[in-house]
Amino acid sequence: MNIISSLIDFILHIDDYLVTIVKDYGTMTYAILFLIVFVETGLVIMPFLPGDSLLFAAAALAPQGALNIWLLFIVCVIAAVLGDTVNYHIGKAAGLGVTNHRTFGRFIKTEHLEKATTFFNKYGGKTIVMARFMPFIRTFIPFVAGASRMHYSYFILYNIIGAVVWVAVCLGLGYFFGNLPVVKNNFEVVLILIIVVSVLPAVISGIRGLMAGRQK
């Protein structure tokens, strides 16, 4: 429970934590951000790490001179592309039956994998781009792509496009709006709204699928 509460506190007060990280680690902050983005997108057992809110909060520090927005963009895009690439190959090696594994099955929830598979089958390659904006789903989609044996050249194209668009949108919003008084004074509320808006498409898709199933 301590780990969960600490993670929630980190996500909701990520702006304060980032300020501390920048003060304590300086340019190493880019490496820390790289690692978080890479792990969140690359390891299917770590879908709960912050993504959208992390990028938004980091970009909000750029106008203050704490971080360079262009270097931040390059670092996060590379991390996102490499993360999805690793996840794809893990999925290709493990397959969708990984939920039955004695060890990994504890971390990879069947329902999350099923939702990602349904989403993937419905939208195909563009799912990789769309899923970038959906917490949890974005971590499982490249895994499903690999397990489904999507052609790698097809996958990497959407992977790069998705990473560039996702990082650009999240950083852009944080850079231009993160320091507005109404946002700074209600940063925790804004982060919660970002999470809710990010999760909403997956929730709507799930509800539609449930309703369609009942009508059959």
Side-chain angles (χ1 to χ4, degrees):
M1 288 298 294
N2 288 333
I3 296 176
I4 296 175
S5 60
S6 297
L7 180 62
I8 293 174
D9 183 70
F10 176 73
I11 293 173
L12 294 181
H13 301 94
I14 198 168
D15 53 325
D16 296 327
Y17 280 101
L18 281 176
V19 169
T20 302
I21 290 172
V22 171
K23 287 181 179 179
D24 292 344
Y25 297 99
T27 54
M28 283 298 294
T29 300
Y30 296 104
I32 295 172
L33 294 174
F34 176 95
L35 185 62
I36 295 175
V37 173
F38 173 80
V39 171
E40 194 258 351
T41 57
L43 301 184
V44 74
I45 62 173
M46 303 289 277
F48 44 80
L49 289 177
D52 310 300
S53 55
L54 175 73
L55 297 179
F56 183 90
L61 296 177
Q64 304 170 27
L67 295 170
N68 181 285
I69 191 65
W70 294 111
L71 182 56
L72 194 60
F73 173 77
I74 293 171
V75 167
C76 292
V77 166
I78 293 174
V81 170
L82 291 180
D84 264 26
T85 301
V86 169
N87 211 341
Y88 169 90
H89 288 294
I90 292 175
K92 190 174 183 179
L96 295 176
V98 70
T99 53
N100 298 320
H101 193 278
R102 184 165 53 182
T103 300
F104 296 114
R106 299 177 184 176
F107 303 97
I108 303 174
K109 300 298 182 182
T110 303
E111 58 267 29
H112 291 156
L113 201 55
E114 288 177 347
K115 287 180 181 179
T117 303
T118 301
F119 201 74
F120 179 79
N121 291 335
K122 183 177 181 180
Y123 295 104
K126 60 184 179 182
T127 305
I128 298 167
V129 178
M130 297 166 60
R132 285 288 188 183
F133 296 89
M134 303 178 188
F136 287 94
I137 293 292
R138 75 165 150 260
T139 305
F140 287 97
I141 284 297
F143 181 91
V144 172
S148 302
R149 296 297 193 272
M150 172 184 275
H151 197 282
Y152 183 70
S153 61
Y154 189 63
F155 167 80
I156 194 64
L157 173 63
Y158 284 102
N159 179 12
I160 294 173
I161 293 173
V164 170
V165 173
W166 176 56
V167 173
V169 170
C170 292
L171 290 185
L173 290 174
Y175 185 84
F176 291 109
F177 301 104
N179 288 286
L180 293 178
V182 66
V183 175
K184 290 192 69 174
N185 296 333
N186 300 279
F187 213 85
E188 183 177 329
V189 176
V190 172
L191 293 181
I192 293 175
L193 286 175
I194 290 173
I195 295 171
V196 170
V197 171
S198 299
V199 173
L200 200 57
V203 173
I204 293 174
S205 178
I207 293 174
R208 285 178 176 175
L210 185 62
M211 293 177 64
R214 289 181 176 179
Q215 291 174 358
K216 290 182 180 179

